[in-house]
Amino acid sequence: MGAFLELDRLTRVFAGSPAVRELSLAVGEHEIVTLLGPSGCGKTTTLRMVAGFEIPDSGRVVLDGRDVTRVPPQKRGFGMVFQHYALFPHMSVRANVAFGLETVGLSRVEIERRAARALELVRLPGTGDRSIGSLSGGQQQRVALARALAPEPQVLLLDEPLSNLDATLREQTRRELRALVKEIGITTIYVTHDQEEAFDLSDRIAVMREGRLEQSGPAEDLYHRPATEFVATFLGRAGAVEGLVGEVHDDGLISCRLAEGVIWKAQAARGSELAEAGMKLRLLARPEALAFARPGSDGALRGTVRETRFAGSVYLYTVTVGHGELEVQAVAEQARPGDLVGVVPSSAPAGLFAFPAGAERQTG
Amino acid sequence: MSAWGGGAGRQRGPRDRLFLAAVFVLLFWAVVYPNLVVLAGSLRGDAGLTTRHYAAFFGTASELRALWSSVWISALTVMFSALIGVPLALLFARYEFPGRRLLGALAAMPVLLPPLVGVIAILFLYGESGIATRLVQDFLGLESPPWRLHGAGAILAVHAYSMYVYFYLFTLAGLARLDPAVFEAAASLGAGRIRTFGRVTLPLLTPTLAGASLLTFMTSMASFSAPYVLGGGFRVMTTQIFNSKLQGEMGMAMVETVMLAAVSLMVLWPLSRWEGSREYVSPGKGAAPQRLPVKSRWAAVGVPAAAGFGVFLLILPHLTLLLVSLVPDGSWTVQTLPPRYSLENYAQLFSELRTFRPIVNSLLMASAATFIAVAFALAVGQLVVRWRVPGRRLLEAMLAVPWALPGTVLAVALATTFSVSQPWAGRFVLVGTAWILVMAYALRVLPLTGRAVLAGYRQLDPSFEEAAASLGAGRWRTLRRVTIPALLPAIAAGASLAFVTGLGEFVASIVLYTHRTRPISIEILAQLRDFDLGAAAAYGVLLMVLVAGAFTLAQRWIQGERAKAS
């Protein structure tokens, strides 16, 4: 898929400190890309540069081969849904949806027709005469979407559009949103800090942290092959334990020495410098990639259960080991706080990632 | 569930009912009753009920003309004030240029001038022998002054100058309340600047503009200083009332009072409904709307220069007042600018009891009025917002009644009601005492102070009080330790408004003062009559400084409390 919308080394500095640094990202036509990251990571600023509300200090926004970096938002033709919807409170639902159609120079009849169609699209037919204040939060969200889509923009930008809905509605709405956007086939950038939302909605996720792009790719890629410790912990759960490089294998796997006689095989982080035996490393492990074993059994890391949590379908155990803390997932209750246990990988090297210890960074 | 529902959910005891009754009766007695007395008086002749005074009013062309003048002057005042205030607010709120903050703050400077002080400052500047008038006359080599500050035009000019600030401040606040994302939404839907302004900004500002129009219209209807000093033969309703009362034609004065109040109410009613009917509160992040940098080269120089010049014109009256206050008595005659300067006017203000007395009077009476107004506002806030007592709409409406009543109306009503001793009818002789002035001041500011305090009450999360109650705090302890401290910013805002209004009050004072109780404004007028311009200006500057001090203190305090809260 070629790049339809390209963000090329975008940088934006606020009051001396960069909010976005050298961010490059290519979005293919009809693709849904999510900018995911903790608050303050620069994802909204990035979206606003794409929309034209912020002019980057350096870098370019390229649409279909055309540089639109300095095209003002009203000439850019990108639809946007705002976090609080920014519906015009003094206008009816129909007038809101029709607003963007009026500048195009369509006939009144055509505007009416298209506004009605946009409202049908978001499953709100017949609400045109209602006032914005009379709508529920979920309905307002859909009107905002209809308004953004009505002028048939080339790109749709969504800034945490579901953050003001309650949990159940949020989950339902994001499925509908994905189905709708896919049906129209519009190129979309979606901003959220919610990992589940990103998983559910996106073709591709771009994880941001402190203004930089950490990693981008399909959700499975990020989850199973995180490039950084941050990505590993931000997407899904992961415990960490320190160790040394035992052996570096040709297939990108590393034998990690975690304790006397305990050697686990893990995936080496992409592009990491874990090249020599004896280097310090941090091993991150997904809870589902670990299991309990008898303490002292072959290859088992000894530890003490610190906490157990019941999470519905599974139990989660926090286990303190020599140089770190791991989480273990199990389907039945297998231990209690204070128990001495052994922990072994259940399907190595899946769910085990080795990172250089020097590159350790706090998680957002 | 308490008997009266809502509130802290407690049963109301007999003491609470007594409190409610006391507040209700006191408010009715102070706010409504005097007006009823005037209404009754306007219908009373030597032998019972009569419409004679009304017949006289409607049969006199000059009376009807004065009423009509009040209305059209006020309508034009609204228009001109909006034409100055709204563009200024948009300029300072939406554009970024060097000096924006300073100029934006200076643009609100006319609030520092109490009405009479503003009038005399403009008189010193543009009057027949004013500085600007003389400068232009000299420059053009004219025999006579190039203009005369006189009649309807002069009144309008002074009104526009002193009241555009309402539009300026309201519009700034209104813009700050809007979700900046709506402007971005309009842009992302292809709307340019002009379309966004016409279709989004302006409609969203209509409640704000209605509010400012209302305040301006009512203030202008009530305006007395400008028509009194500058009107000459041009009469409006407030000056008519004053003259009738001066000539002892109480029947006519009362009819005029009733008519002015009636017309004010007729405008207040629809406008306030319009204002209240659509309030757009944004749920946005509360981020300040982005200011657009001024881009083109000529604009980068031109905008700050034009803004600077405009603001200079707006603070010229203040500077003039300061200048005149430094001129020794009798030293300035035919020169364009004063030949000598000294501080002797100020020295005189503080060294003689005769000249110092009004300062003490104003400070004491304004303080007492502030205390009373705040106490009533708090009592009504507790009853209306917290206890949600039956009749709360009526209580709140009573707080707002003086809104519709110009100061002259209020003064005449008080003077009429409290000039006889009929204790069984709730009438006592207060005329001639300082208390009637205190009462007038307190009533005049009650709507504004009440509004500020009630708004504070409404924003106050009741769970604070519930938390205090759950921790065992009794009602008074909760009030003292939790409610009032949390309301301090609102109280500071309401109190500073009350104090500042009382300090410079002129309209009601001129009807109610005696030599012993005369406030600063009356003394300014007296000095003006003696042609002691320097002393009048020195009083004016003193008022300006006190007003600025009160506002600054309140602002600091409010910001300090906010900073503590967040």
Side-chain angles (χ1 to χ4, degrees):
Chain A
M1 203 180 303
F4 178 64
L5 176 65
E6 203 182 340
L7 320 191
D8 178 22
R9 285 166 297 150
L10 288 179
T11 297
R12 182 78 174 99
V13 180
F14 287 128
S17 66
V20 176
R21 337 180 189 194
E22 298 272 318
L23 185 131
S24 294
L25 184 67
V27 182
E29 201 166 6
H30 315 307
E31 195 182 18
I32 306 177
V33 171
T34 295
L35 297 179
L36 174 68
S39 58
C41 73
K43 55 193 190 298
T44 293
T45 304
T46 305
L47 192 75
R48 290 170 59 82
M49 285 193 277
V50 177
F53 299 127
E54 300 278 352
I55 307 285
D57 293 304
S58 65
R60 297 183 310 153
V61 177
V62 180
L63 177 74
D64 208 6
R66 194 166 68 96
D67 184 345
V68 296
T69 316
R70 281 166 194 285
V71 175
Q74 60 266 34
K75 304 238 169 80
R76 206 168 280 206
F78 288 9
M80 177 136 172
V81 176
F82 294 80
Q83 188 174 8
H84 299 277
Y85 319 138
L87 293 169
F88 305 126
H90 59 295
M91 294 182 193
S92 67
V93 168
R94 179 183 296 109
N96 263 283
V97 177
F99 189 90
L101 295 166
E102 289 163 15
T103 37
V104 191
L106 298 169
S107 72
R108 183 169 286 248
V109 182
E110 182 63 13
I111 289 174
E112 283 281 312
R113 204 179 60 77
R114 290 208 199 176
R117 201 176 60 197
L119 282 172
E120 270 167 38
L121 211 58
V122 298
R123 298 193 302 106
L124 281 175
T127 55
D129 292 324
R130 301 211 14 209
S131 71
I132 296 301
S134 72
L135 302 179
S136 70
Q139 289 172 323
Q140 289 190 12
Q141 195 275 331
R142 279 162 26 206
V143 173
L145 184 63
R147 182 177 72 173
L149 289 175
E152 296 174 4
Q154 291 179 285
V155 173
L156 179 64
L157 306 174
L158 302 134
D159 185 5
E160 308 216 18
L162 307 181
S163 62
N164 288 304
L165 305 180
D166 63 53
T168 337
L169 192 57
R170 198 155 58 215
E171 210 177 308
Q172 182 197 338
T173 308
R174 67 184 180 228
R175 303 246 165 76
E176 289 175 8
L177 188 61
R178 180 176 166 89
L180 177 61
V181 167
K182 278 291 160 195
E183 185 191 319
I184 303 170
I186 186 170
T187 308
T188 300
I189 300 186
Y190 188 96
V191 162
T192 184
H193 62 266
D194 183 330
Q195 176 233 127
E196 263 188 67
E197 213 168 286
F199 275 24
D200 245 9
L201 261 160
S202 334
D203 296 325
R204 208 144 54 84
I205 298 174
V207 180
M208 286 184 70
R209 175 176 183 238
E210 288 171 9
R212 293 179 193 279
L213 182 68
E214 288 273 307
Q215 186 179 5
S216 73
E220 295 90 335
D221 256 19
L222 302 194
Y223 190 81
H224 295 302
R225 284 176 288 282
T228 66
E229 223 182 297
F230 176 78
V231 173
T233 48
F234 195 74
L235 293 183
R237 320 185 61 89
V241 58
E242 287 179 8
L244 297 172
V245 178
E247 200 182 327
V248 181
H249 304 276
D250 290 338
D251 51 4
L253 298 183
I254 287 182
S255 297
C256 307
R257 195 142 25 99
L258 303 178
E260 200 47 52
V262 180
I263 294 173
W264 293 359
K265 236 182 201 185
Q267 306 169 40
R270 229 181 263 177
S272 81
E273 302 99 41
L274 287 174
E276 289 173 42
M279 282 176 79
K280 280 190 180 172
L281 62 75
R282 275 168 66 80
L283 179 94
L284 269 73
R286 299 253 180 249
E288 68 271 20
L290 298 177
F292 285 123
R294 234 174 353 92
S297 62
D298 203 25
L301 197 55
R302 280 163 163 296
T304 314
V305 176
R306 185 167 68 76
E307 193 183 62
T308 81
R309 268 173 305 148
F310 174 60
S313 53
V314 294
Y315 289 83
L316 279 170
Y317 301 88
T318 308
V319 181
T320 310
V321 294
H323 297 282
E325 212 165 55
L326 292 173
E327 281 198 64
V328 179
Q329 180 180 312
V331 287
E333 190 167 12
Q334 296 183 348
R336 287 160 185 262
D339 284 359
L340 210 63
V341 293
V343 178
V344 289
S346 53
S347 52
L352 300 178
F353 318 112
F355 295 98
E360 171 190 351
R361 289 196 278 177
Q362 84 208 41
T363 57
Chain B
M1 195 64 203
S2 90
W4 294 345
R10 290 183 208 175
Q11 192 77 37
R12 309 281 167 218
R15 281 221 319 232
D16 299 324
R17 287 165 204 269
L18 196 67
F19 176 59
L20 170 64
V23 171
F24 209 92
V25 168
L26 266 175
L27 260 185
F28 183 84
W29 172 74
V31 171
V32 182
Y33 183 56
N35 297 299
L36 296 179
V37 170
V38 166
L39 186 63
S42 72
L43 289 165
R44 193 168 32 237
D46 299 330
L49 224 54
T50 176
T51 54
R52 184 164 57 85
H53 305 308
Y54 284 92
F57 180 88
F58 286 104
T60 313
S62 65
E63 292 290 342
L64 295 175
R65 209 160 42 232
L67 184 60
W68 171 235
S69 296
S70 278
V71 173
W72 71 256
I73 283 270
S74 301
L76 284 183
T77 298
V78 170
M79 197 180 88
F80 285 121
S81 301
L83 284 177
I84 302 173
V86 176
L88 265 184
L90 288 169
L91 176 70
F92 287 117
R94 307 281 285 144
Y95 293 90
E96 187 60 80
F97 52 87
R100 181 189 62 79
R101 286 171 70 98
L102 178 70
L103 293 175
L106 286 178
M109 285 285 272
V111 292
L112 298 186
L113 298 174
L116 179 70
V117 179
V119 173
I120 65 162
I122 285 177
L123 201 61
F124 291 157
L125 186 57
Y126 301 112
E128 207 159 334
S129 54
I131 295 174
T133 318
R134 290 196 204 192
L135 278 174
V136 174
Q137 189 180 347
D138 289 356
F139 184 73
L140 298 176
L142 300 174
E143 291 284 313
S144 57
W147 60 72
R148 297 191 61 207
L149 191 66
H150 186 71
I155 297 173
L156 256 180
V158 171
H159 279 185
Y161 170 72
S162 46
M163 296 178 213
Y164 83 81
V165 184
Y166 299 143
F167 276 94
Y168 176 66
L169 294 178
F170 272 54
T171 307
L172 277 184
L175 285 171
R177 271 200 305 270
L178 296 182
D179 183 358
V182 297
F183 306 119
E184 296 182 350
S188 79
L189 293 165
R193 237 178 246 189
I194 294 169
R195 207 172 118 78
T196 303
F197 180 76
R199 290 289 310 276
V200 179
T201 315
L202 208 53
L204 285 176
L205 280 179
T206 45
T208 302
L209 296 179
S213 302
L214 191 61
L215 184 56
T216 306
F217 190 88
M218 299 308 288
T219 311
S220 173
M221 283 293 276
S223 167
F224 176 78
S225 309
Y228 180 66
V229 177
L230 304 173
F234 183 82
R235 296 293 179 79
V236 295
M237 223 51 230
T238 49
T239 49
Q240 288 296 93
I241 296 172
F242 180 74
N243 286 329
S244 297
K245 179 156 189 302
L246 213 59
Q247 287 157 21
E249 297 170 14
M250 280 316 287
M252 183 54 103
M254 283 191 239
V255 171
E256 287 161 349
T257 304
V258 171
M259 291 312 298
L260 180 57
V263 172
S264 300
L265 278 174
M266 269 159 52
V267 176
L268 182 70
W269 181 248
L271 262 183
S272 63
R273 283 182 63 101
W274 185 37
E275 182 195 11
S277 67
R278 22 186 173 159
E279 187 66 44
Y280 307 121
V281 182
S282 74
K285 282 184 181 177
Q290 271 199 316
R291 292 194 182 84
L292 308 167
V294 171
K295 273 185 208 138
S296 74
R297 201 181 302 163
W298 73 263
V301 179
V303 169
F309 182 70
V311 169
F312 173 69
L313 285 182
L314 295 175
I315 61 168
L316 253 188
H318 304 68
L319 299 176
T320 306
L321 206 59
L322 189 65
L323 185 82
V324 175
S325 76
L326 296 171
V327 176
D329 191 16
S331 71
W332 185 22
T333 48
V334 295
Q335 301 88 339
T336 303
L337 285 169
R340 283 204 301 125
Y341 300 96
S342 81
L343 289 171
E344 73 182 48
N345 291 317
Y346 291 97
Q348 192 205 345
L349 237 55
F350 293 100
S351 58
E352 283 178 44
L353 184 63
R354 184 181 61 82
T355 48
F356 189 55
R357 181 85 192 235
I359 300 172
V360 176
N361 281 346
S362 278
L363 283 172
L364 285 180
M365 294 191 297
S367 304
T370 302
F371 184 80
I372 293 172
V374 169
F376 265 101
L378 280 174
V380 172
Q382 186 73 22
L383 289 171
V384 169
V385 182
R386 275 296 169 273
W387 295 8
R388 302 179 57 77
V389 297
R392 56 182 176 275
R393 278 165 183 264
L394 194 59
L395 265 179
E396 205 179 338
M398 279 204 285
L399 267 196
V401 163
W403 238 125
L405 303 175
T408 316
V409 170
L410 188 80
V412 168
L414 291 180
T416 314
T417 309
F418 300 111
S419 59
V420 294
S421 180
Q422 296 172 345
W424 45 269
R427 295 173 72 168
F428 310 94
V429 177
L430 294 178
V431 168
T433 68
W435 287 113
I436 197 157
L437 285 159
V438 170
M439 195 169 169
Y441 295 179
L443 288 176
R444 288 208 68 187
V445 299
L446 206 49
L448 280 178
T449 309
R451 223 177 211 219
V453 172
L454 255 68
Y457 252 112
R458 293 204 160 105
Q459 281 165 10
L460 186 65
D461 188 342
S463 50
F464 286 126
E465 287 160 332
E466 289 168 2
S470 77
L471 293 167
R475 178 128 17 112
W476 290 111
R477 203 169 123 81
T478 303
L479 190 69
R480 213 181 60 223
R481 293 286 309 278
V482 177
T483 313
I484 290 184
L487 283 175
L488 274 183
I491 294 175
S496 61
L497 280 173
F499 184 71
V500 157
T501 311
L503 215 52
E505 215 286 338
F506 173 63
V507 184
S509 304
I510 197 171
V511 178
L512 301 169
Y513 82 97
T514 65
H515 181 69
R516 210 166 42 79
T517 61
R518 68 192 189 282
I520 296 178
S521 56
I522 298 297
E523 188 64 20
I524 289 179
L525 197 65
Q527 300 286 2
L528 223 48
R529 289 231 172 88
D530 287 349
F531 291 101
D532 194 347
L533 306 188
Y539 279 118
V541 171
L542 181 69
L543 274 180
M544 202 162 82
V545 170
L546 286 172
V547 169
F551 276 143
T552 312
L553 263 181
Q555 199 59 37
R556 283 243 170 119
W557 201 20
I558 292 168
Q559 276 165 359
E561 290 292 325
R562 284 221 185 104
K564 263 192 265 169
S566 63

